[in-house]
Short mmCIF file of all heavy atoms in Angstrom, two decimals:
data_model
loop_
_atom_site.label_atom_id
_atom_site.label_comp_id
_atom_site.label_asym_id
_atom_site.label_seq_id
_atom_site.Cartn_x
_atom_site.Cartn_y
_atom_site.Cartn_z
N MET X 162 8.94 129.33 61.22
CA MET X 162 9.01 127.96 60.70
C MET X 162 8.53 126.96 61.75
O MET X 162 8.94 127.04 62.91
CB MET X 162 10.47 127.62 60.35
CG MET X 162 10.97 128.26 59.07
SD MET X 162 12.77 128.18 58.93
CE MET X 162 13.09 126.43 59.00
N HIS X 163 7.68 126.05 61.32
CA HIS X 163 7.33 124.93 62.20
C HIS X 163 8.30 123.80 61.87
O HIS X 163 8.57 123.55 60.69
CB HIS X 163 5.90 124.46 61.93
CG HIS X 163 4.89 125.55 62.16
ND1 HIS X 163 4.42 125.87 63.40
CD2 HIS X 163 4.29 126.39 61.28
CE1 HIS X 163 3.56 126.88 63.29
NE2 HIS X 163 3.47 127.21 62.01
N LEU X 164 8.81 123.13 62.89
CA LEU X 164 9.84 122.10 62.66
C LEU X 164 9.32 120.71 63.00
O LEU X 164 8.72 120.52 64.07
CB LEU X 164 11.08 122.38 63.52
CG LEU X 164 11.67 123.79 63.45
CD1 LEU X 164 12.92 123.88 64.34
CD2 LEU X 164 12.02 124.17 62.01
N TRP X 165 9.55 119.78 62.11
CA TRP X 165 9.28 118.37 62.41
C TRP X 165 10.38 117.89 63.35
O TRP X 165 11.56 118.23 63.14
CB TRP X 165 9.28 117.55 61.12
CG TRP X 165 8.84 116.13 61.34
CD1 TRP X 165 9.64 115.04 61.47
CD2 TRP X 165 7.49 115.68 61.47
NE1 TRP X 165 8.86 113.91 61.66
CE2 TRP X 165 7.54 114.28 61.67
CE3 TRP X 165 6.24 116.32 61.42
CZ2 TRP X 165 6.38 113.51 61.83
CZ3 TRP X 165 5.10 115.55 61.58
CH2 TRP X 165 5.19 114.16 61.78
N VAL X 166 10.02 117.10 64.38
CA VAL X 166 11.05 116.72 65.35
C VAL X 166 11.65 115.35 64.97
O VAL X 166 11.41 114.34 65.61
CB VAL X 166 10.51 116.75 66.80
CG1 VAL X 166 11.65 116.50 67.79
CG2 VAL X 166 9.89 118.11 67.09
N GLY X 167 12.41 115.35 63.89
CA GLY X 167 13.15 114.16 63.49
C GLY X 167 14.63 114.47 63.65
O GLY X 167 15.02 115.63 63.77
N ASP X 168 15.44 113.42 63.66
CA ASP X 168 16.89 113.68 63.69
C ASP X 168 17.66 112.51 63.11
O ASP X 168 17.11 111.44 62.86
CB ASP X 168 17.38 114.02 65.11
CG ASP X 168 17.12 112.92 66.12
OD1 ASP X 168 17.15 111.73 65.74
OD2 ASP X 168 16.91 113.23 67.31
N CYS X 169 18.93 112.76 62.87
CA CYS X 169 19.84 111.73 62.37
C CYS X 169 20.43 111.02 63.58
O CYS X 169 21.00 111.68 64.45
CB CYS X 169 20.94 112.38 61.54
SG CYS X 169 22.42 111.34 61.45
N PRO X 170 20.31 109.69 63.66
CA PRO X 170 20.81 108.99 64.85
C PRO X 170 22.32 109.16 65.07
O PRO X 170 22.79 109.03 66.20
CB PRO X 170 20.46 107.52 64.57
CG PRO X 170 20.08 107.43 63.13
CD PRO X 170 19.68 108.79 62.68
N VAL X 171 23.05 109.47 64.03
CA VAL X 171 24.51 109.63 64.17
C VAL X 171 24.83 111.05 64.65
O VAL X 171 25.60 111.25 65.61
CB VAL X 171 25.22 109.37 62.82
CG1 VAL X 171 26.73 109.51 62.95
CG2 VAL X 171 24.84 107.99 62.27
N HIS X 172 24.24 112.05 64.03
CA HIS X 172 24.57 113.44 64.37
C HIS X 172 23.90 113.93 65.66
O HIS X 172 24.47 114.76 66.36
CB HIS X 172 24.15 114.37 63.21
CG HIS X 172 25.07 114.28 62.04
ND1 HIS X 172 24.91 113.35 61.04
CD2 HIS X 172 26.17 115.00 61.71
CE1 HIS X 172 25.87 113.51 60.15
NE2 HIS X 172 26.65 114.50 60.52
N ALA X 173 22.69 113.41 65.95
CA ALA X 173 21.97 113.90 67.14
C ALA X 173 22.75 113.58 68.41
O ALA X 173 22.66 114.28 69.42
CB ALA X 173 20.58 113.27 67.19
N ARG X 174 23.55 112.51 68.34
CA ARG X 174 24.32 112.10 69.53
C ARG X 174 25.48 113.05 69.83
O ARG X 174 26.06 113.00 70.91
CB ARG X 174 24.86 110.68 69.31
CG ARG X 174 24.10 109.68 70.15
CD ARG X 174 24.68 108.30 70.04
NE ARG X 174 23.82 107.50 69.18
CZ ARG X 174 24.24 106.73 68.20
NH1 ARG X 174 25.52 106.62 67.94
NH2 ARG X 174 23.39 106.05 67.47
N MET X 175 25.83 113.90 68.86
CA MET X 175 26.90 114.86 69.14
C MET X 175 26.28 116.06 69.85
O MET X 175 25.69 116.93 69.24
CB MET X 175 27.59 115.27 67.84
CG MET X 175 28.53 114.19 67.35
SD MET X 175 29.32 114.62 65.80
CE MET X 175 28.43 113.54 64.69
N ARG X 176 26.35 116.04 71.18
CA ARG X 176 25.69 117.02 72.03
C ARG X 176 26.66 118.16 72.36
O ARG X 176 27.87 118.02 72.17
CB ARG X 176 25.23 116.36 73.35
CG ARG X 176 24.35 115.13 73.19
CD ARG X 176 23.05 115.44 72.51
NE ARG X 176 22.36 116.55 73.12
CZ ARG X 176 21.40 117.29 72.53
NH1 ARG X 176 21.05 117.03 71.30
NH2 ARG X 176 20.82 118.28 73.16
N PRO X 177 26.15 119.27 72.91
CA PRO X 177 27.05 120.35 73.33
C PRO X 177 28.17 119.84 74.25
O PRO X 177 29.31 120.29 74.17
CB PRO X 177 26.12 121.33 74.04
CG PRO X 177 24.77 121.10 73.42
CD PRO X 177 24.72 119.65 73.07
N GLU X 178 27.86 118.86 75.13
CA GLU X 178 28.88 118.33 76.05
C GLU X 178 29.99 117.61 75.27
O GLU X 178 31.16 117.62 75.66
CB GLU X 178 28.28 117.31 77.05
CG GLU X 178 27.02 117.72 77.76
CD GLU X 178 25.76 117.53 76.92
OE1 GLU X 178 25.26 116.40 76.81
OE2 GLU X 178 25.28 118.56 76.38
N THR X 179 29.59 116.91 74.17
CA THR X 179 30.59 116.20 73.35
C THR X 179 31.58 117.22 72.80
O THR X 179 32.79 117.03 72.81
CB THR X 179 29.89 115.49 72.15
OG1 THR X 179 28.63 115.00 72.54
CG2 THR X 179 30.77 114.41 71.55
N LEU X 180 31.02 118.33 72.32
CA LEU X 180 31.87 119.38 71.74
C LEU X 180 32.74 120.02 72.82
O LEU X 180 33.94 120.26 72.60
CB LEU X 180 30.98 120.42 71.05
CG LEU X 180 31.71 121.59 70.43
CD1 LEU X 180 32.73 121.12 69.39
CD2 LEU X 180 30.71 122.55 69.76
N GLU X 181 32.14 120.26 74.00
CA GLU X 181 32.90 120.88 75.08
C GLU X 181 34.12 120.05 75.45
O GLU X 181 35.22 120.55 75.63
CB GLU X 181 32.00 121.08 76.32
CG GLU X 181 31.36 122.44 76.35
CD GLU X 181 32.21 123.51 75.67
OE1 GLU X 181 33.25 123.88 76.23
OE2 GLU X 181 31.87 123.95 74.55
N ALA X 182 33.91 118.72 75.56
CA ALA X 182 35.01 117.81 75.94
C ALA X 182 36.11 117.87 74.88
O ALA X 182 37.31 117.93 75.21
CB ALA X 182 34.48 116.39 76.09
N ALA X 183 35.73 117.89 73.60
CA ALA X 183 36.74 117.92 72.53
C ALA X 183 37.49 119.26 72.55
O ALA X 183 38.71 119.30 72.38
CB ALA X 183 36.06 117.71 71.18
N ARG X 184 36.76 120.36 72.80
CA ARG X 184 37.43 121.67 72.83
C ARG X 184 38.42 121.75 74.00
O ARG X 184 39.50 122.30 73.88
CB ARG X 184 36.41 122.79 72.94
CG ARG X 184 35.61 122.99 71.66
CD ARG X 184 34.63 124.13 71.79
NE ARG X 184 35.27 125.41 71.94
CZ ARG X 184 35.03 126.27 72.91
NH1 ARG X 184 34.17 126.00 73.85
NH2 ARG X 184 35.67 127.42 72.95
N ALA X 185 38.03 121.15 75.14
CA ALA X 185 38.92 121.18 76.31
C ALA X 185 40.19 120.37 76.02
O ALA X 185 41.29 120.74 76.44
CB ALA X 185 38.18 120.62 77.52
N ALA X 186 40.05 119.26 75.28
CA ALA X 186 41.20 118.39 74.99
C ALA X 186 42.08 118.97 73.87
O ALA X 186 43.24 118.57 73.73
CB ALA X 186 40.72 116.99 74.62
N HIS X 187 41.51 119.86 73.04
CA HIS X 187 42.27 120.42 71.90
C HIS X 187 42.10 121.94 71.90
O HIS X 187 41.49 122.50 70.98
CB HIS X 187 41.75 119.83 70.58
CG HIS X 187 41.82 118.34 70.54
ND1 HIS X 187 42.90 117.64 70.04
CD2 HIS X 187 40.93 117.39 70.98
CE1 HIS X 187 42.68 116.34 70.17
NE2 HIS X 187 41.49 116.16 70.72
N PRO X 188 42.63 122.61 72.92
CA PRO X 188 42.37 124.05 73.03
C PRO X 188 42.90 124.81 71.81
O PRO X 188 43.98 124.50 71.29
CB PRO X 188 43.12 124.45 74.31
CG PRO X 188 44.02 123.31 74.64
CD PRO X 188 43.49 122.09 73.97
N GLY X 189 42.10 125.76 71.35
CA GLY X 189 42.54 126.63 70.26
C GLY X 189 42.23 126.10 68.87
O GLY X 189 42.32 126.85 67.89
N ALA X 190 41.84 124.83 68.75
CA ALA X 190 41.56 124.29 67.41
C ALA X 190 40.20 124.82 66.93
O ALA X 190 39.22 124.76 67.68
CB ALA X 190 41.55 122.77 67.45
#
Side-chain angles (χ1 to χ4, degrees):
M162 285 166 59
H163 301 279
L164 309 182
W165 187 261
V166 186
D168 60 32
C169 157
V171 180
H172 285 87
R174 253 184 256 134
M175 283 179 254
R176 305 298 308 160
E178 312 80 79
T179 324
L180 179 58
E181 267 330 289
R184 288 181 67 233
H187 303 268

